[in-house]
Amino acid sequence: MQAIRCILVVIDPKLSENLALKRARLISSVSQPRLHLLICDAKQDHSSYLERLRQELEDQGHVVTARQAWHENLHQTIISAQQAEGCGLVIKQHIADNPLKRALLTPDDWKLLRYCPCPVLMVKTEAPWTGGNILAAVDVGNADIEHRTLHSSIINYGYQIASLAEGTLHVISAHPSAMLSSADPAFQLKETIEARYRNACRQFQTEFDIPDGQLHIEEGPADALIPRVCHQLQAAVTVIGTVARTGLSGALMGNTAEVVLDTLESDVLVLKPEDIIDHLEELVAQR
């Protein structure tokens, strides 16, 4: 996060409190990036509101730019601004859609997570980060180079947030249930599966000094386990990544991050590998 030079902060004038701006202030107070405030609205003029926010932030020592814009829909407006301003992080307050609407239409925040060519921090809670637990979710069952690179990025971001917040980094990885029919004996017993996953996490533990007590290897589906461990730890932030599958049209993310977005009781930072980011930037450039 120290390398980020500009943060895009999505401002919703309808909200009584700008939680996204609260997080942006915290990050900016340490790494001092430029804050670019964006209101996505094609109808009402919010220039005076943006100017007031900009002035307040500049009085607090932040470097700030601000703009109101609209391009077809919410996520495309945000991505257009992110590309134009060279933002390395997007911060947006997450408002969950009702289940019926979500069943019929893909939520705007899901689309933003899928197509934004940079990390996205979804702010869900007013709880302070300071002194809190940070949860980094990895899938060590996938050991290909793309996943290993993404895992390192997830742990690195988690470590930076923990340092920023003077908190504690925890790591979780879900593993499958034992299968007696498996051809590999390592997957026939729960104990051997867990041992295999813990061994795969040793690199992270050594590099970032993560004690065994802060490593959580759990049996079951990731979309159920990550929210449960987040709740147990009362985590302030959950860092999760996504890898696109070869052959998919476009760069569609796996749905774990989308599914847990509404169930997690923490802010959520979603990361992508560099090759997916490059592909998404190419798609934006073609528009």
Side-chain angles (χ1 to χ4, degrees):
M1 284 186 139
Q2 291 89 339
I4 295 173
R5 293 292 169 257
C6 181
I7 296 175
L8 175 59
V9 188
V10 181
I11 302 294
D12 186 344
K14 298 189 298 293
L15 298 176
S16 58
E17 185 175 6
N18 290 311
L19 298 183
L21 192 55
K22 179 179 179 181
R23 298 301 187 226
R25 280 195 184 102
L26 171 63
I27 297 171
S28 180
S29 66
V30 176
S31 55
Q32 299 182 325
R34 172 170 62 95
L35 300 180
H36 183 68
L37 311 183
L38 175 68
I39 290 180
C40 304
D41 192 343
K43 300 176 182 179
Q44 186 176 351
D45 180 20
H46 300 283
S47 56
S48 60
Y49 178 60
L50 275 174
E51 177 59 25
R52 186 168 72 253
L53 287 180
R54 186 189 66 78
Q55 190 63 56
E56 289 176 1
L57 289 165
E58 288 187 344
D59 289 345
Q60 295 167 5
H62 302 282
V63 178
V64 186
T65 54
R67 185 187 177 198
Q68 178 176 340
W70 185 257
H71 300 284
E72 298 183 32
N73 53 51
L74 180 64
H75 77 277
Q76 289 183 8
T77 303
I78 296 170
I79 292 171
S80 293
Q82 179 266 328
Q83 289 287 284
E85 299 295 330
C87 300
L89 174 66
V90 170
I91 305 180
K92 181 184 181 298
Q93 184 168 341
H94 174 62
I95 306 298
D97 289 324
N98 66 66
L100 178 59
K101 181 179 178 182
R102 192 166 62 241
L104 297 174
L105 298 170
T106 303
D108 286 326
D109 283 355
W110 286 20
K111 293 176 183 176
L112 181 61
L113 294 183
R114 289 180 185 182
Y115 301 118
C116 186
C118 78
V120 178
L121 174 63
M122 289 290 181
V123 184
K124 298 189 60 182
T125 171
E126 299 179 19
W129 284 8
T130 306
N133 289 319
I134 311 302
L135 181 62
V138 297
D139 178 13
V140 296
N142 286 296
D144 57 79
I145 185 63
E146 191 174 34
H147 277 89
R148 291 202 304 271
T149 302
L150 181 58
H151 295 162
S152 295
S153 180
I154 291 170
I155 299 297
N156 185 53
Y157 267 90
Y159 185 77
Q160 289 183 53
I161 295 173
S163 176
L164 169 72
E166 300 180 346
T168 303
L169 177 63
H170 290 255
V171 178
I172 180 173
S173 184
H175 70 74
S177 301
M179 297 174 290
L180 294 177
S181 60
S182 174
D184 187 343
F187 287 98
Q188 293 178 3
L189 294 174
K190 175 183 177 181
E191 291 76 14
T192 56
I193 296 174
E194 182 172 336
R196 184 168 179 167
Y197 273 65
R198 284 191 177 276
N199 185 60
C201 288
R202 294 303 177 195
Q203 176 186 346
F204 305 141
Q205 291 187 266
T206 301
E207 184 174 357
F208 296 104
D209 192 25
I210 301 170
D212 285 344
Q214 291 164 223
L215 175 64
H216 309 270
I217 305 296
E218 304 266 353
E219 177 184 352
D223 55 7
L225 292 175
I226 295 172
R228 190 182 80 194
V229 173
C230 174
H231 175 74
Q232 291 171 348
L233 295 173
Q234 295 185 315
V237 186
T238 300
V239 186
I240 190 168
T242 178
V243 175
R245 301 300 178 186
T246 302
L248 284 181
S249 176
L252 298 181
M253 65 186 297
N255 68 359
T256 300
E258 297 175 354
V259 171
V260 302
L261 182 59
D262 285 343
T263 55
L264 282 168
E265 300 172 2
S266 72
D267 295 345
V268 185
L269 177 65
V270 179
L271 309 177
K272 302 181 186 74
E274 286 299 322
D275 61 335
I276 294 180
I277 288 175
D278 291 342
H279 181 62
L280 289 171
E281 288 179 337
E282 291 174 4
L283 293 178
V284 175
Q286 292 170 8
R287 292 190 59 84

